[in-house]
Amino acid sequence: MELPKKSFKAFILAIIYTIALVSLLAAYHIYWKGHLSYQNPRNKMSPLNNPERKKYQVQRIEDVQSKTQPYNLTLEYINITSYPYIMNEPNKCKDESPFLIFLIATVANEVESRRAIRTTFGATLENGATVMCLFLLGKDNTQESNSILEESEKHHDIIQKDFQDTYNNLPIKILMGIEWVSNYCPRAKYVMKTDSDMFVNTYRLMDLLGPDQPQKQNFFTGFVLEKHRPHRNKDSKWHMPYSQYAGEFYPTFCSGTGYVFSGDVAPKILNSSFHVKYIYLEDVFVGLCLDREGVKVTAPPHPYLFNNYRVRYQPCVYNRIITSHYMTPTDIINYWKITQEYKEKCSKSR
Ligand SMILES: *[C@@H]1O[C@H](CO)[C@@H](O)[C@H](O)[C@H]1NC(C)=O
Ligand SMILES: *[C@@H]1O[C@H](CO)[C@@H](O)[C@H](O)[C@H]1NC(C)=O
Ligand SMILES: *[C@@H]1O[C@H](CO)[C@@H](O)[C@H](O)[C@H]1NC(C)=O
């Protein structure tokens, strides 16, 4: 009678251990994968979980998604030169090439965001490093073009080509900026692509790029995504059908929330873009162009510098980082202001 009882006990224990192991693995998968994965709403720091930001974010996603299906099946390759300019600023770099150009993806109605960016991180710094800011727009039929024209005449910082301003045309929008840099500002030292809902600490970025250091070549950095798997779930905002991209992983790329590259990389991306099959995710598309040109993505010197989520506000933390996501125009202005005010204090405590 002893033996069966013992083995029954062992059997029960084995089941308990198995259940424990499986739940642990599941928890690991849900927590870490969810937490760290690219633009994942399960990310605890994502505004999707923050009621204060929820309305703003949901509205942005709807803005972007309501207009089209998530990819354009009739577009096979992008020929960026084939799209005519609606607005251009060909003489902006004639007299002086800036140290840094911001290429900012925006849509027509984000007037407040552009206003905030012009007066904060997109402006030339007090220490003299020249910063230029360009806003990239497609054609938006719902918008009165008069107000954009007025804004453009006032600030001369809007570039627009003739393509529909939709989420799936983001690669066209970014290529427009990269083509512009290659053609009209080829001597710019560095370029940073970012979005209109981002905070960028330009001073901290200057520490990384170093206006006094020799210019880097073949340099590309940001929030690095390695071995990132395409989302195959149809409900995902980042859904990628096999017909568009069949690989198991994307090549190493940087999140479109903010990446920086040396000026020499711009014509390389442009050259490659004619030969890389269109894929609607702008940051992945740029990654594929870099891969084709043999430009290796460089990890930033600290992992906390570039962030594709909203970093919780603390003045000294914001003095240390370069990017933070999901910012309203008011956030951008306030965070910039306080970050500057705390600069001295924070540099002492570093
Ligand atoms: C999709 O691509 C085709 C071919 O380039 C283009 O004619 C069409 O306007 C695009 N559709 C949208 C919604 O951008
Ligand atoms: C791209 O379009 C331009 C202008 O329409 C054309 O001259 C050029 O040959 C095209 N390039 C490619 C690679 O198709
Ligand atoms: C881009 O392509 C053109 C023509 O194929 C070539 O002459 C040029 O050197 C290329 N530029 C870069 C930066 O690779």
Side-chain angles (χ1 to χ4, degrees):
M1 279 320 277
E2 270 301 296
L3 221 100
K5 210 175 183 182
K6 239 182 188 169
S7 64
F8 179 70
K9 230 176 174 176
F11 176 68
I12 294 290
L13 268 177
I15 286 182
I16 291 172
Y17 281 139
T18 311
I19 290 172
L21 191 68
V22 167
S23 5
L24 239 127
L25 282 173
Y28 167 83
H29 184 81
I30 289 169
Y31 182 70
W32 281 110
K33 291 278 171 55
H35 192 70
L36 296 176
S37 130
Y38 177 47
Q39 297 166 320
N40 194 317
R42 280 201 301 250
N43 182 335
K44 291 280 185 304
M45 283 172 268
S46 160
L48 296 174
N49 299 311
N50 180 345
E52 188 190 324
R53 306 287 154 196
K54 206 162 184 166
K55 219 176 100 203
Y56 176 69
Q57 173 62 8
V58 166
Q59 178 221 323
R60 275 196 112 244
I61 289 179
E62 278 171 359
D63 273 359
V64 163
Q65 283 194 322
S66 63
K67 289 173 189 161
T68 44
Q69 62 182 98
Y71 38 86
N72 186 342
L73 292 172
T74 52
L75 183 59
E76 217 184 336
Y77 290 92
I78 301 170
N79 178 345
I80 193 62
T81 57
S82 71
Y83 297 89
Y85 279 104
I86 299 173
M87 279 179 205
N88 192 5
E89 295 292 339
N91 298 323
K92 231 176 140 63
C93 289
K94 228 175 189 166
D95 300 328
E96 189 195 5
S97 295
F99 181 77
L100 173 70
I101 300 184
F102 278 111
L103 298 176
I104 296 161
T106 175
V107 294
N109 65 10
E110 290 174 337
V111 183
E112 289 306 317
S113 305
R114 290 192 289 276
R115 203 196 306 270
I117 291 169
R118 277 184 197 112
T119 59
T120 55
F121 68 79
T124 286
L125 302 180
E126 275 163 23
N127 62 15
T130 46
V131 177
M132 181 185 282
C133 173
L134 280 181
F135 295 101
L136 311 176
L137 280 180
K139 200 170 63 180
D140 185 346
N141 295 331
T142 63
Q143 193 70 20
E144 262 184 65
S145 53
N146 272 349
S147 58
I148 287 292
L149 199 61
E150 256 173 50
E151 192 182 329
S152 165
E153 277 169 0
K154 185 158 176 217
H155 300 285
H156 292 284
D157 58 7
I158 295 177
I159 308 291
Q160 186 183 33
K161 275 195 160 193
D162 191 357
F163 59 88
Q164 292 301 313
D165 207 333
T166 56
Y167 184 62
N168 67 29
N169 280 342
L170 262 183
I172 303 178
K173 186 177 275 189
I174 303 319
L175 280 177
M176 168 175 77
I178 289 170
E179 181 197 31
W180 189 93
V181 172
S182 307
N183 289 346
Y184 301 113
C185 209
R187 270 176 288 281
K189 298 277 194 301
Y190 294 96
V191 181
M192 176 166 187
K193 184 267 153 173
T194 189
D195 294 332
S196 51
D197 61 344
M198 293 294 295
F199 171 89
V200 181
N201 184 341
T202 321
Y203 285 97
R204 194 71 177 107
L205 178 58
M206 289 299 165
D207 292 345
L208 174 68
L209 302 177
D212 315 321
Q213 295 166 28
Q215 202 206 336
K216 300 183 208 306
Q217 298 282 315
N218 265 333
F219 177 73
F220 193 103
T221 195
F223 185 90
V224 180
L225 291 147
E226 259 180 308
K227 290 243 158 187
H228 187 71
R229 282 177 198 276
H231 289 218
R232 302 302 187 184
N233 176 353
K234 282 208 172 59
D235 298 329
S236 166
K237 186 191 171 193
W238 300 280
H239 171 230
M240 183 54 62
Y242 284 96
S243 62
Q244 297 272 290
Y245 187 85
E248 188 184 359
F249 301 106
Y250 292 133
T252 301
F253 67 104
C254 290
S255 159
T257 51
Y259 49 79
V260 186
F261 51 96
S262 50
D264 60 314
V265 172
K268 292 184 179 176
I269 298 173
L270 177 64
N271 265 10
S272 261
S273 73
F274 296 95
H275 311 286
V276 168
K277 224 177 145 234
Y278 158 80
I279 182 170
Y280 76 97
L281 298 173
E282 157 257 321
D283 43 12
V284 177
F285 183 86
V286 169
L288 288 162
C289 292
L290 295 175
D291 194 43
R292 195 175 184 277
E293 291 290 318
V295 176
K296 292 261 176 294
V297 171
T298 308
H302 306 289
Y304 56 75
L305 291 175
F306 292 92
N307 303 287
N308 67 350
Y309 55 87
R310 184 185 175 92
V311 177
R312 224 163 67 113
Y313 191 72
Q314 281 175 10
C316 289
V317 170
Y318 269 64
N319 265 291
R320 271 203 307 269
I321 61 165
I322 294 176
T323 63
S324 180
H325 196 189
Y326 302 115
M327 296 281 148
T328 66
T330 318
D331 289 339
I332 294 174
I333 292 171
N334 291 344
Y335 284 21
W336 178 264
K337 192 159 161 270
I338 304 172
T339 301
Q340 305 317 315
E341 282 168 9
Y342 273 81
K343 207 172 181 175
E344 283 283 299
K345 218 179 196 173
C346 295
S347 70
K348 276 179 199 140
S349 68
R350 217 187 262 172

